[in-house]
Amino acid sequence: MGKNTRKRCKKFRTWAPGKVMLLGEHAVVYGYSCLSFAIDKGVTVTISKEESDRITSDVADTRFTIAARETFRHYFSQHSPVSISIKSDISGFGLGSSSAVTVAIVSAMMGIHGIPWSFDTIFEIAYQAVKSVQKNASGYDVATSLYGGMIEFNGETKKVKQLPVSTFPFLVGFTGYKADTSQLVEDVSQKRKANKEAVDTIFADISRLVDNGKKALLQKDWVSLGKYMNENQQLLEHLGVSTPVLDAIIKRVKESVFGVKIAGAGGGDCIIALIKKKEKKNTIKAMEESGAKNLPMTISPKGVHLI
Ligand code: MEV
């Protein structure tokens, strides 16, 4: 096998996790902090050097794939053609498939070009790529996919604090329909333009819930954490990102849990419930009866890595 052939055959395979937002969505876009965690479901990317560019993906939206590839190329002035293959088990749920794809591609592109990984650099490139598609993104999903585990993400400095939380009693339910994150972020921005004081007050209140929620989470004080999640949900309803379907699911699930809220942009996608272990079966039943599908998952301690 000649040297060039060997080079072309070289493959890099990375896995990057999806994410769930525990507290602080939307406010994080305006510089506040949020709490989110990586999940044991995600995206596998395989990259090899080829004669010409090729993308095979089971994620319908290839905008993030192209943005990740091109942002990497621009950043490192590396333009050799590559084949990118993507397999995702989180596509279409609002569980961070786009950011996981972006993080996994940038990491694998660095690998195949022999560039040592630095989380700061991967974040910089992946965040720039995500923003080229979704203008007002905070970057929390990129950071969660990169670092894994439970993180506190600062929307202003983009700094990440990894929290010592490997598990907690939660369930995630899918409403059955995918939301348009960019549109929801834009709706909130319009609402803020029309009523800056009221919306900024909501963000400041959400920020207090994130601070208090972090303390409750670290102390395993589920009663308090559940209360903060419910309050966060009310504020999101005031922001206008909940929907009648989400409201109905949340109302029904709330009967058996410590707290429940939307788990991301709103408008559809998923809910997260902080559950009472003894009530788990009832909560799953409540989810299903109200039209949400229970998506079994755990926290992934690992962020992006080679497989
Ligand atoms: C979406 O998962 C969370 C938002 O805060 C947007 C973002 O932070 O990029 C609505």
Side-chain angles (χ1 to χ4, degrees):
M1 202 192 271
K3 212 175 168 190
N4 289 339
T5 323
R6 210 165 37 235
K7 213 173 174 187
R8 273 205 303 277
C9 285
K10 211 169 141 192
K11 276 190 173 137
F12 256 83
R13 183 167 291 150
T14 51
W15 180 84
K19 55 77 202 168
V20 172
M21 176 72 91
L22 180 58
L23 288 167
E25 53 270 83
H26 287 287
V28 66
V29 176
Y30 294 82
Y32 295 97
S33 291
C34 72
L35 298 179
S36 74
F37 59 94
I39 58 174
D40 63 340
K41 313 244 170 307
V43 169
T44 303
V45 162
T46 311
I47 294 191
S48 54
K49 288 194 180 173
E50 297 292 342
E51 302 290 346
S52 58
D53 279 338
R54 204 174 47 204
I55 295 172
T56 347
S57 178
D58 58 11
V59 180
D61 185 352
T62 53
R63 288 176 304 163
F64 291 90
T65 302
I66 294 166
R69 187 188 66 193
E70 296 311 314
T71 311
F72 167 87
R73 283 178 168 161
H74 187 71
Y75 192 94
F76 287 109
S77 298
Q78 290 276 5
H79 297 279
S80 39
V82 286
S83 157
I84 303 178
S85 150
I86 301 167
K87 293 214 171 312
S88 167
D89 44 24
I90 48 171
S91 184
F93 297 110
L95 292 173
S97 144
S98 308
S99 46
V101 161
T102 311
V103 166
I105 290 178
V106 172
S107 308
M109 288 289 271
M110 285 174 81
I112 202 125
H113 288 92
I115 301 164
W117 281 11
S118 130
F119 274 17
D120 283 350
T121 309
I122 300 173
F123 180 82
E124 195 183 331
I125 302 170
Y127 181 43
Q128 204 178 311
V130 165
K131 273 201 305 186
S132 71
V133 179
Q134 190 193 316
K135 267 195 234 126
N136 280 330
S138 68
Y140 89 94
D141 40 7
V142 172
T144 313
S145 189
L146 195 53
Y147 287 87
M150 174 75 71
I151 67 163
E152 179 182 15
F153 177 77
N154 184 310
E156 174 141 31
T157 62
K158 311 298 174 196
K159 291 275 174 259
V160 170
K161 198 172 194 179
Q162 291 178 281
L163 303 180
V165 177
S166 56
T167 181
F168 74 106
F170 72 94
L171 282 174
V172 169
F174 179 52
T175 56
Y177 57 104
K178 176 83 197 83
D180 182 343
T181 303
S182 297
Q183 187 57 53
L184 285 151
V185 171
E186 179 55 26
D187 292 349
V188 171
S189 148
Q190 291 304 330
K191 192 160 186 155
R192 185 166 179 263
K193 270 187 197 137
N195 201 342
K196 188 168 181 307
E197 214 184 307
V199 172
D200 283 348
T201 304
I202 292 180
F203 289 156
D205 288 346
I206 291 177
S207 164
R208 267 190 291 279
L209 294 174
V210 171
D211 288 345
N212 292 335
K214 182 175 102 178
K215 284 180 205 135
L217 176 66
L218 293 174
Q219 288 163 4
K220 297 185 169 47
D221 175 357
W222 308 138
V223 173
S224 302
L225 180 58
K227 179 172 154 281
Y228 301 139
M229 287 169 71
N230 289 336
E231 285 172 21
N232 194 165
Q233 174 58 25
Q234 270 171 13
L235 293 168
L236 291 165
E237 284 168 22
H238 292 322
L239 266 187
V241 298
S242 202
T243 64
V245 172
L246 274 164
D247 292 348
I249 295 169
I250 285 171
K251 188 168 174 233
R252 176 77 174 81
V253 170
K254 207 171 175 178
E255 290 163 16
S256 60
V257 299
F258 290 113
V260 54
K261 61 181 277 295
I262 62 175
D269 292 340
C270 289
I271 56 151
I272 173 162
L274 181 64
I275 62 163
K276 299 175 178 166
K277 278 188 184 155
K278 282 187 190 152
E279 295 282 343
K280 187 172 176 181
K281 273 194 186 148
N282 284 336
T283 304
I284 293 176
K285 196 163 168 261
M287 269 189 195
E288 276 156 13
E289 281 174 3
S290 58
K293 186 177 175 352
N294 172 37
L295 301 179
M297 63 180 73
T298 58
I299 299 184
S300 166
K302 281 192 182 179
V304 69
H305 57 274
L306 284 178
I307 54 170

